[in-house]
Amino acid sequence: MPRHSLANVPAVVLAALLCACASRDPDRVAPSRADEAALRSFAARGYATQDSSGGTMLTRQTWWLGGREQVLHWMLPRAGSVAAPLVIYLPGLGESAGAGARWRQAWASAGYAVLSLQPLEADEAAFRSELARTGEFRDLARQRFAADEARRRLRVLAEVHDELQRRVGGGETPWRQIDLTRLALAGYDIGAWTAMVAAGERLPGSAAPMPALPLRAVIALSPHAVVADGGFATGWQDIRLPVLSIDNMQIIHRCA
């Protein structure tokens, strides 16, 4: 599926609807026409409120976290009466925090607050590295998809989340319009794998999943398979979140 083909799909809505449709319980009551109409209306507008201007506020910031600078790209819906759920987007290997603008704009237009960051500078610079210049792409992939690097990315995400909690809790503008109790993590390529690890996927050589953010859903776009000991059945057994995974061939969804 081309990357731009999801531009008009509110991601958290799509994940929720797929999970709702995935139930195979024969006793489940089919939704009424009124319920279906409400779902269609919600999918079309997301969390946008009637008193919202319908626009988005774009900003690029640099936060000082853990002794280093972290670049953040924000897309925030104009202030409304309801705090917006947050989608954190993680770009792919070789991409900056400004990547994925089409997806991010679609989510923001649907009423979500959207934060994009590339947790590790080495991921952004991967295709300018010595390994890339000498054509050693297999070694480059092995290096960037290592378990230790995944742990480093999650530590950066935890630091960003802690700082955001502080700002939201302090009632600062514009952070007070973000609802951190409704948080989704989306990613492309290496960002998709990071999102899956944050959701509970076990890392190779790890006996237990990494500590996860307080997530409500995960969207993995063109994810890479990094198989843990015991295969996928073991690697994914601790995931308890709705997951929407989209690669170039198929859509895979899983509900807790």
Side-chain angles (χ1 to χ4, degrees):
M1 181 177 293
R3 290 174 55 186
H4 62 270
S5 62
L6 300 179
N8 297 318
V9 181
V12 179
V13 173
L14 184 54
L17 291 179
L18 279 175
C19 286
C21 295
S23 173
R24 293 176 179 167
D25 183 355
D27 297 324
R28 184 173 63 89
V29 178
S32 66
R33 290 186 177 181
D35 290 337
E36 291 178 345
L39 283 172
R40 284 194 297 270
S41 175
F42 180 78
R45 299 181 61 250
Y47 287 95
T49 56
Q50 291 183 354
D51 58 349
S52 171
S53 68
T56 57
M57 180 177 65
L58 311 179
T59 181
R60 180 187 184 278
Q61 296 185 328
T62 301
W63 289 1
W64 186 257
L65 299 171
R68 73 186 188 291
E69 292 184 342
Q70 184 67 54
V71 176
L72 309 172
H73 283 240
W74 285 95
M75 289 187 178
L76 298 172
R78 299 295 180 180
S81 60
V82 179
L86 175 64
V87 177
I88 297 178
Y89 176 72
L90 305 177
L93 197 63
E95 295 184 330
S96 71
R102 222 181 251 261
W103 292 328
R104 293 187 290 115
Q105 182 63 62
W107 296 330
S109 297
Y112 299 91
V114 184
L115 165 62
S116 176
L117 70 146
Q118 182 61 279
L120 301 183
E121 183 179 352
D123 290 337
E124 180 176 343
F127 297 127
R128 302 192 301 271
S129 67
E130 182 65 24
L131 287 174
R133 286 196 296 268
T134 56
E136 300 294 337
F137 293 106
R138 185 185 298 273
D139 289 341
L140 176 62
R142 188 178 295 115
Q143 178 192 86
R144 303 318 310 152
F145 282 88
D148 286 345
E149 296 301 293
R151 294 186 182 93
R152 289 181 60 203
R153 294 182 193 100
L154 290 193
R155 283 195 290 271
V156 172
L157 281 173
E159 291 171 353
V160 171
H161 183 263
D162 288 347
E163 175 62 17
L164 188 54
Q165 272 191 316
R166 186 190 69 79
R167 297 187 181 211
V168 171
E172 299 180 26
T173 303
W175 318 118
R176 62 187 178 188
Q177 71 187 77
I178 298 174
D179 182 357
L180 284 179
T181 68
R182 295 181 290 173
L183 171 62
L185 186 59
Y188 169 71
D189 181 60
I190 202 167
W193 180 52
T194 304
M196 292 294 290
V197 173
E201 179 178 332
R202 294 192 179 193
L203 294 169
S206 297
M210 289 289 295
L213 295 172
L215 301 175
R216 298 284 291 273
V218 164
I219 302 96
L221 308 172
S222 293
H224 285 256
V226 181
V227 182
D229 300 335
F232 290 114
T234 298
W236 293 349
Q237 68 180 9
D238 296 301
I239 296 178
R240 297 291 184 269
L241 296 171
V243 172
L244 173 64
S245 178
I246 302 178
D247 62 22
N248 290 330
M249 298 298 295
Q250 59 184 336
I251 295 176
I252 304 170
H253 54 273
R254 169 177 175 165
C255 302

